[in-house]
Amino acid sequence: MIWNTNLRWRLPVTCLLLQVALVVLFGVFVRYDLDADPHWIGSQGDENTTSDMENEFYYRYPSFQDVHVMIFVGFGFLMTFLQRYGYSSVGFNFLLAAFGIQWALLMQGWFHSYKEGYIHLGVENLINADFCVGSVCVAFGAVLGKVSPVQLLIMTLFQVTLFSVNEFILLSLLEVKDAGGSMTIHTFGAYFGLTVTWILYRPSLHQSKERQSSVYHSDLFAMIGTLFLWMYWPSFNSAVSKHGDAQHRAAINTYCSLAACVLTSVALSSALHKKGKLDMVHIQNATLAGGVAVGTAAEMMLMPYGSLIVGFICGIVSTLGFVYLTPFLESRLRIQDTCGIHNLHGLPGIIGAIVGAVTASCANAKVYGIKGLANFFGFDGFKTSWDSSMQGKFQAAGLFVSLAIALVGGIIVGVILKLPFWGQPADENCFEDSVYWEMPEELKSTVLHPEDSTLKPAEP
Amino acid sequence: MIWNTNLRWRLPVTCLLLQVALVVLFGVFVRYDLDADPHWIGSQGDENTTSDMENEFYYRYPSFQDVHVMIFVGFGFLMTFLQRYGYSSVGFNFLLAAFGIQWALLMQGWFHSYKEGYIHLGVENLINADFCVGSVCVAFGAVLGKVSPVQLLIMTLFQVTLFSVNEFILLSLLEVKDAGGSMTIHTFGAYFGLTVTWILYRPSLHQSKERQSSVYHSDLFAMIGTLFLWMYWPSFNSAVSKHGDAQHRAAINTYCSLAACVLTSVALSSALHKKGKLDMVHIQNATLAGGVAVGTAAEMMLMPYGSLIVGFICGIVSTLGFVYLTPFLESRLRIQDTCGIHNLHGLPGIIGAIVGAVTASCANAKVYGIKGLANFFGFDGFKTSWDSSMQGKFQAAGLFVSLAIALVGGIIVGVILKLPFWGQPADENCFEDSVYWEMPEELKSTVLHPEDSTLKPAEP
Amino acid sequence: MIWNTNLRWRLPVTCLLLQVALVVLFGVFVRYDLDADPHWIGSQGDENTTSDMENEFYYRYPSFQDVHVMIFVGFGFLMTFLQRYGYSSVGFNFLLAAFGIQWALLMQGWFHSYKEGYIHLGVENLINADFCVGSVCVAFGAVLGKVSPVQLLIMTLFQVTLFSVNEFILLSLLEVKDAGGSMTIHTFGAYFGLTVTWILYRPSLHQSKERQSSVYHSDLFAMIGTLFLWMYWPSFNSAVSKHGDAQHRAAINTYCSLAACVLTSVALSSALHKKGKLDMVHIQNATLAGGVAVGTAAEMMLMPYGSLIVGFICGIVSTLGFVYLTPFLESRLRIQDTCGIHNLHGLPGIIGAIVGAVTASCANAKVYGIKGLANFFGFDGFKTSWDSSMQGKFQAAGLFVSLAIALVGGIIVGVILKLPFWGQPADENCFEDSVYWEMPEELKSTVLHPEDSTLKPAEP
């Protein structure tokens, strides 16, 4: 099918409308948190806090910056592996994330930081907004190369909204622990994205097949993304954990899990190639699965060896997924998953949710200490064991809620995105920057099918 | 015109002379700040400071590292967009910044950290030195591709000196607030650089026109620069703010402004292209204007919606500048601005100064609290409103001082750089690495006009 | 000579065996440090520590993340300068580092964090594990392009072990100061790697000579590595220094030394080229020597001008080494040092050890204060001067121990790696990704000598 891909009015109008709406909503609703307000200095005296260091900023800001790098450079460059889709990978990721964080500040703010008529912004809100957008970046990986920037903005608008609802149900209603977002970010993002791409199934996508692969330098650009994700993942999983030991522990566990995951990914990648050669796709992606899969349990007493085991398993599962599952999903289930997010975020996310549920179930006063248990889970001392297994069940429930909302939401959003006026590329022009970007001279000769010059723009 | 571009003696001699002078001056003048001196442990006891955390290092170091990345990777890679000037963009930026930070430590030290015959270095000095060099990197963007590394070192020597004088006038004499440097860094750097490039006008630059554009992968390298600047800008604007809420607030405001700026940059980029296609130049540059424009006001009570509005406007202004103003400046005013710094740093810097002046004028005890106002601006409680408007006027005065020093200084330095013995490239060899770099075999065949082999070196 | 390079069983089996062993050893030995354990909250109350900020995490975590980036992106990308070895440079570095950090956590844990039957992990262990792997990355630079990933894993296994023994002798038995690892990391890593590559000498390596150089974009990728190493080196040298002034001072000294080193590297690079052109190899490598050479002394009272002098000298020494020494080593001593690690880590490491010994010898109560001296070196007040010179002598002894263990260990490991069944590439296939990697279509036509298809796999 052929659509008009000239976005001259659609993209500007969408961006400007969204941004104007955000300005108005921020004006009505958003103020600073006390820690970012000049009145803090007064409050400090009142509460007898003697050190400026107690400002939440110093507990969270370094982690925030690491997470910020993961969202913009990490996800952006991870997707540049395609030979002719580097501008779009980095650029559209930049666009959707810049919109998404603003919208997430509002949505998450209404649910979690709303007091006396205002949302109060602090550094933790910035981290959570980045997290929320992380789930959109995950879903972007499934539809990469097949959608227009207008579609991405629409998808972001809905996905951030659904994410916030899901997160509210999990964290506030079910009182689930999910600091690194195995459920809220990865499972939700992956199955939402897979559902959307299932609805947007393109039967003639093989016409763009020659561009759905890498060239030498595009793979190196992608490794920049991979490595920044991998290196900063300990910050991701610990960024919003409780101060002190929980944040410390989350970083250690994530570090361990990711290290183990690299070795098993390499092992499987080589074992599954007939000449024992490594595949960059696995190195770029499967090595990260260990970070996804300790997202829930990293701040718990998973133990370093527990983290290694989780990473060990996920490197294997994820690489097997790339080799066997992705082709199966495409040919049998008509799910065209460009970046293989099912292997990097879907399966490891589910594993992470299960690991979290089991680890929470096993919590007891011997391992955590009575004070530690009360502090970490909020359990009262005497009914600990009952609460632990209850917590485990609620954790498991959280997984199912996330999956359900992802699937239902994905269908609805997919249907909306299937409407023919969003400027999506034709099947033979997928994975191609020149549809939406002014190209350097060297590449202008690459002729595209001329759908955008023969058709007249459908709207003003 | 043809100059001798063989730098065999000029560049080494310049580098070594400067570095020897720096060693001597450091030997005479530079010592450690108390917080970096082993006597700190004694002083800690005296003042009854109980925690090592109170060392200034822990308040500033994470921000310092982010700023450091912006200067070296951010600016360095942002300028790699040219197809044949990547070595020089990254390499010369590296060279001038490495020299500039040392010279800035001295110059700023004499003005701000000079006690009992010595400059006392601490982490805040490192940040300020990086800031100062930031303004040189801005100016480098205007002359990129048209000057030799010797010229860049000379320019850095003078610009750092002028920067420090200007900064001293603003911060110490006019008591202006400018934590993120809208005036001192961006406005000063941009108009200084534009004046220099105006003096160095090359009438036959069109002979190098075919190299003054990007290739596919050079644009992706440039996006590395863009993203690291964009992501770490909250650290830039908050790095030297007061501890606690001011630093916190500066980060939040910058985050908001930058996010809004991305959407309006994309909107305008698409709207101004006849087929609605995006231009990488705008995505690489205009998206950053929002960070420049809250440089002065970010630590003030600009409010999150105020930040969004500033970012909104700057994305539009900056993109319009790239499309209409840069060609106008080149054709009518003979200002050849290679990277379009007028759109990214010049105009947004002026907007930032105005936003800062207005925000400061509006400060009052209701918004800041009496204690907050006294702490932040140093106003006494009773004469607050008078002081606010006064502060606003002084802020505005700071803008004019910065512009004046930039223009006068730029003319003087431009004239010095116009001297014929600095090894500048011929008009037909601009934007070309092979003039100053040993090239890989693949590119050696690219023949250059042989000015450097036919002319004999002019000095030893 | 021709070996079978099909790693289908060798690489997976090696990875999986190592990882299983690590899981078991972690299960038996590794627990959390108190600061990462939920019992911390109880202990906090006991010791009357009032602030969560006192958790070691907040003192070290930002530095840890910077060091982590240096190991994975810094070293990984620094080695991508070769035209056809980018996948392997980044990918094998990723693999060996991911294995090495786990093994280092155990080895260093047994020596330094072993209490009551368990190794107690905290953020400082993570940093030290990264440091240990840093020395493996250094050695990797010497053998780059000439070894298989299996060989690299074996080398890592042994080198981490030897590193930990050497580190224990230096830090615990000789009580040497070496926070930034001039001796333990750089000198040890470099001479170990050089010895290994000497044993692995390939007489027909010239057959791969045309690939042992860069292309334009591979040099830009390498600059990413260079800059992240350069920018974050202040974190590297200060990461495990004592809280407060020592950490602060180490960062300042490293910043200064690196800045000076850039200018002298550029000066020499230009002076040594007959047309005065700069060589990317020098800019990528020699500019970093200043960080290596203050590794021991950075936390001492080296003084800012002392740091500049060290950087000044190292830029010169390192660049001269690249121009004159590396060819000499290859032609006369049969040491094929792919990345020139002798110039970047070997010589500067030795200089750093000497600078450290001299600086320690000069320590006295006037410079450090009585309390400072006691705190920093652990000297008792009255026998200070004796202890200073003694400390200096022990520092010097540390250098010789490191060299001895590197040479002896390098010979043993080299001989092991020379065994013919590790899958090493033939001399004519060195510096070539396609031996071990599935390549993109564009490059598949590059025919390789068919040793891996004609030979039958030697093991199952």
Side-chain angles (χ1 to χ4, degrees), chain A residues 5-9 11-12 15-16 18-20 22-23 26-27 30-42 45 51-53 55-58 61-62 64-66 68-69 72-73 77 80 83-87 90-92 94-95 98-99 101-102 105 121-123 126 129-130 149 153 215 217-218 221 224 228 232 433-443 452-453, chain B residues 53-55 58-60 62-63 66 213-221 223-224 226-228 230-236 238 242-249 251-253 255-256 258-264 266-268 270-280 283 287-288 298 300-305 307-309 312 316 365-373 375-376:
Chain A
T5 60
N6 183 333
L7 302 179
R8 182 154 191 188
W9 298 112
L11 182 58
C15 286
L16 293 175
L18 290 173
Q19 192 57 56
V20 168
L22 288 166
V23 169
F26 267 62
V30 181
R31 299 296 178 266
Y32 300 112
D33 184 66
L34 179 58
D35 278 31
D37 191 284
H39 292 87
W40 182 67
I41 195 158
S51 169
D52 289 338
M53 261 292 158
N55 194 300
E56 189 71 6
F57 181 77
Y58 301 103
Y61 189 72
F64 157 66
Q65 276 294 3
D66 296 347
H68 216 41
V69 171
F72 289 88
V73 160
F77 274 89
T80 57
Q83 56 187 269
R84 287 288 299 248
Y85 211 63
Y87 290 6
V90 173
F92 294 167
F94 193 15
L95 172 64
F99 164 61
I101 54 178
Q102 297 177 69
L105 285 177
L121 280 201
V123 64
L126 307 189
D130 273 19
L153 288 170
V215 290
H217 281 165
S218 73
F221 280 113
I224 296 173
F228 275 101
Y232 285 156
D433 274 337
S434 61
V435 178
Y436 302 116
W437 295 86
E438 177 68 17
M439 300 300 278
E441 286 300 323
E442 45 154 6
L443 297 173
D452 62 338
S453 56
Chain B
M53 260 293 159
E54 291 303 314
N55 194 300
Y58 301 103
Y59 284 99
R60 307 272 183 216
S63 308
D66 295 348
S213 59
S214 66
V215 291
Y216 193 64
H217 280 165
S218 73
D219 267 331
L220 284 178
F221 280 114
M223 279 305 290
I224 296 172
T226 298
L227 287 176
F228 275 101
W230 193 91
M231 296 180 303
Y232 285 156
W233 215 295
S235 298
F236 192 92
S238 68
K242 274 190 201 283
H243 296 171
D245 62 280
Q247 220 174 338
H248 200 154
R249 190 164 56 246
I252 294 172
N253 285 333
Y255 178 96
C256 290
L258 284 164
C261 191
V262 174
L263 272 87
T264 53
V266 168
L268 268 281
S270 172
L272 295 172
H273 186 282
K274 63 182 190 299
K275 290 188 180 171
K277 292 188 182 184
L278 298 169
D279 189 326
M280 278 306 270
I283 308 304
T287 52
L288 299 169
M300 303 177 190
M301 285 298 276
L302 179 58
M303 306 311 290
Y305 66 85
S307 309
L308 292 191
I309 293 170
F312 191 101
I316 293 172
K366 198 178 145 216
V367 175
Y368 286 80
I370 293 169
K371 245 178 153 172
L373 205 58
N375 177 58
F376 187 73

Side-chain angles (χ1 to χ4, degrees), chain B residues 444-459:
Chain B
K444 280 205 172 149
S445 55
T446 327
V447 187
L448 277 179
H449 300 266
E451 87 278 17
D452 62 337
S453 57
T454 53
L455 275 174
K456 285 175 74 90
E459 54 278 86

Side-chain angles (χ1 to χ4, degrees), chain C residues 360-379:
Chain C
S361 300
C362 300
N364 63 55
K366 198 178 144 216
V367 175
Y368 285 80
I370 293 168
K371 246 176 152 173
L373 206 58
N375 176 58
F376 186 73
F377 286 104
F379 296 162

Side-chain angles (χ1 to χ4, degrees), chain C residues 277-288:
Chain C
K277 293 187 181 183
L278 298 169
D279 189 326
M280 278 306 270
V281 172
H282 309 152
I283 308 305
Q284 284 159 6
N285 291 281
T287 52
L288 299 168

